[in-house]
Amino acid sequence: MISFIISLRENILIALRALAQNKMRAILTTLGIVIGVLTVVSVASIISGLNTGFASQISALGSNTLYVHKYPWIIQDDFFKYRNRPDITMKDAEYLKEHSRLAEAISAASGTFRDIKYRNNSLTGIGVSGVTMETEIIEGFSIADGRYFTQIEIDHNKASVVIGNEIKEKLFNHKNPLGERIKVGDFSYTVIGVMEKRGSLLGHNLDSEVYVPLGTIFKNFGFHRSIRILIKVPSPEMIEQVIDEIHFLMRVSRKLKPQEEDNFSINQQEMLTNMYKQLTNGLYTAAFGIGALSLIVGGIGIMNIMLVSVAERRKEIGIRKALGAKQRVITFQFIIESIIICSVGGIIAILLSFLMSLVIDKVTPFPSNVPIWSVLMGLGFSSLVGLFFGIYPARRAAKLDPIECLRYE
Amino acid sequence: MQTLINLKDIVKTYQIGTVEVQALRGVDILIHSNEYISIMGPSGSGKSTLMNIIGCLDTPTSGIYELEGELVHTMDDNKLAEVRNRKVGFVFQTFNLLPRATALHNVELPLIYSGISAAKRKVIAEDAIEKVGLTDRMHHRPSELSGGQRQRVAIARALVNNPSLILADEPTGNLDSTTGKEIMAIFDDLHNAGNTIILITHEKIVADHADRIVHILDGHIAEDIQVKNN
Ligand SMILES: Nc1ncnc2c1ncn2[C@@H]1O[C@H](COP(=O)(O)OP(=O)(O)O)[C@@H](O)[C@H]1O
Ligand SMILES: [Mg+2]
């Protein structure tokens, strides 16, 4: 055991010395390893970054909210199949509100895009959402300044507006917007509240929207638009039950016969999460595939360079054997050398991926961080490659005839 | 006197394709501890082959080789390595030092392979280097040393593990005559200090340092003369 530790230490020193003498060759040989580990670690860090981003992107959807839409969020088959569906109407929303026993809150919402204007400042193509009292509970935002709508404002289709945080900044600068009148399209509205900063949802900026009573949006911008129905589920365990109930009630509301297909979709956050997981799993699989392939190619490169090294260093091997190095010791020496070359490749790759992750984080809109497990895995796999592909050359070195080796010049 | 080496009817045959070359054709030698022997003979007579067998680098095709009572001719590769490490110190014509290691590290090598700890190793190796008078050069690499100095490092390496015998194959072959004399003086000292030395040479002047001269010719022992008594 003592002699094992001594030879481990010795062998690491020998390997490092040999590496220092053939720097360029060693670096070239580790290229395969570097590419392999770099691929896996970078993809892992990109996905890890995306995970953080994605989680914050969809968190506003709320895991306890169901959305009744004309279209499903994820369309796997023919889009045109869904185009002939009837619009979701206020009648559907009222039917659900009246008959649902399980939902905590139900609201209808409808949206359009309009230019908005305050004195000389104007913003184009701003999302205008028609909302109800329940919207505040279901979406779970809070009001920074002023107040949300009252039931009376909703019921009487008042021309009141609650504006997003960014709208306030862009339209009013530092002026207090409460009580001011702004133009939404061609209509005049009174600002009654400003929402707190909410971030964005699936790439669209929730802070650059305005909310008006649902009835007002119909009155000003027309009735014939498909609405969406938002349903708040009391607790996560009840999601399935509530889906069943809503599904049943929607079919009744639409007077569908048992053999007829649904002509509406019930969407939920989980669908997006699942799709995202599928996507990232696909990415992982691809990265591991490329990584594994590069590692194998790199490993063969290492084996090749080790065989060259063994041939070139026959004299050294002969001397060592003559002085009493057993086969095991020579084998060990070359395997350690191979592992070190590969680990150096692994370390280079990890340093590069930290650098890359930093650049991605700074330059692209995606956050990126290198997860620690990918670092450990990168190092582990590169050493394993060194071990595996080092065995054959090392065994060859160990079995060389010392006399032949000593004769070699 | 204690028997160190007992060679009985040693035959070594090399197979080159279909041709068989008989390098040794039945060699018998008995060598005792603390002997100083030269093995002489013309080129191709089998000197190196004999040295490889005595030095446990190779095993005979047939015959019996006993080294301090151990049967070498039956040993496998690993056992031979162990015996070389413990019992044999080699000095080669071309020095055979590791070019990239310092003199000290070269001398330490046999100690590494016998599993001696780094601290102990350094003391022992420095001691051996002192014996060959190279203390001030021990951190130099072989390329920074003269031929004579390199051979001194090799001698220090040969004696560092306290071997039962020191085997030198043409140790002055690559040196000028003055340096050769210095190296031979070291062997004489080592012999006087109690070491067993086997010199392989084709030079009479070198062979004459020994007490006993064995002449080898075509793989046979032609002559085995005790020239001095010690
Ligand atoms: N590995 C070998 N393969 C084939 N023939 C060899 C080998 N080693 C030595 N010989 C032959 O054996 C004979 C003795 O060689 P060697 O012991 O080297 O002689 P010396 O050292 O006295 O010059 C020579 O004929 C040589 O060609
Ligand atoms: Mg020879």
Side-chain angles (χ1 to χ4, degrees), chain A residues 10 315 320-321 323 327, chain B residues 77 84-85 96 113 121:
Chain A
E10 252 0 278
K315 183 89 176 184
R320 291 182 186 279
K321 289 195 84 169
L323 299 179
Q327 291 195 0
Chain B
D77 205 43
R84 286 195 297 272
N85 182 255
N96 284 343
Y113 296 130
R121 212 157 70 203

Side-chain angles (χ1 to χ4, degrees), chain A residues 7-128:
Chain A
S7 52
L8 179 66
R9 207 185 83 100
E10 252 0 278
N11 279 325
I12 290 172
L13 291 176
I14 290 165
L16 287 176
R17 230 178 267 148
L19 274 179
Q21 272 139 17
N22 293 305
K23 283 187 205 79
M24 199 57 211
R25 194 170 80 184
I27 287 170
L28 285 178
T29 341
T30 57
L31 211 59
I33 308 286
V34 172
I35 291 170
V37 174
L38 189 60
T39 313
V40 175
V41 178
S42 319
V43 169
S45 67
I46 289 170
I47 290 178
S48 161
L50 286 180
N51 284 343
T52 324
F54 182 77
S56 72
Q57 284 283 318
I58 67 162
S59 66
L61 278 174
S63 53
N64 287 348
T65 310
L66 301 175
Y67 297 78
V68 180
H69 281 156
K70 182 174 174 181
Y71 301 104
W73 278 344
I74 298 158
I75 294 178
Q76 264 140 356
D77 43 13
D78 190 6
F79 172 75
F80 294 99
K81 199 175 107 183
Y82 301 101
R83 278 209 353 188
N84 295 329
R85 286 177 164 184
D87 289 340
I88 309 286
T89 61
M90 280 309 290
K91 206 183 114 272
D92 293 321
E94 271 145 26
Y95 189 81
L96 293 183
K97 246 187 197 173
E98 200 174 317
H99 291 95
S100 173
R101 297 283 161 267
L102 300 176
E104 186 180 319
I106 294 178
S107 95
S110 177
T112 182
F113 292 93
R114 298 288 143 152
D115 297 344
I116 63 175
K117 201 170 162 187
Y118 173 71
R119 293 190 184 157
N120 292 329
N121 287 346
S122 67
L123 299 168
T124 50
I126 296 300
V128 182

Side-chain angles (χ1 to χ4, degrees), chain A residues 141-145 162-166 194-199 206-207:
Chain A
F141 57 83
S142 26
I143 299 295
D145 276 321
V162 172
I163 61 175
N165 214 285
E166 251 181 66
V194 180
M195 286 181 261
E196 274 195 337
K197 265 208 183 324
R198 298 171 70 188
L206 294 174
D207 295 318

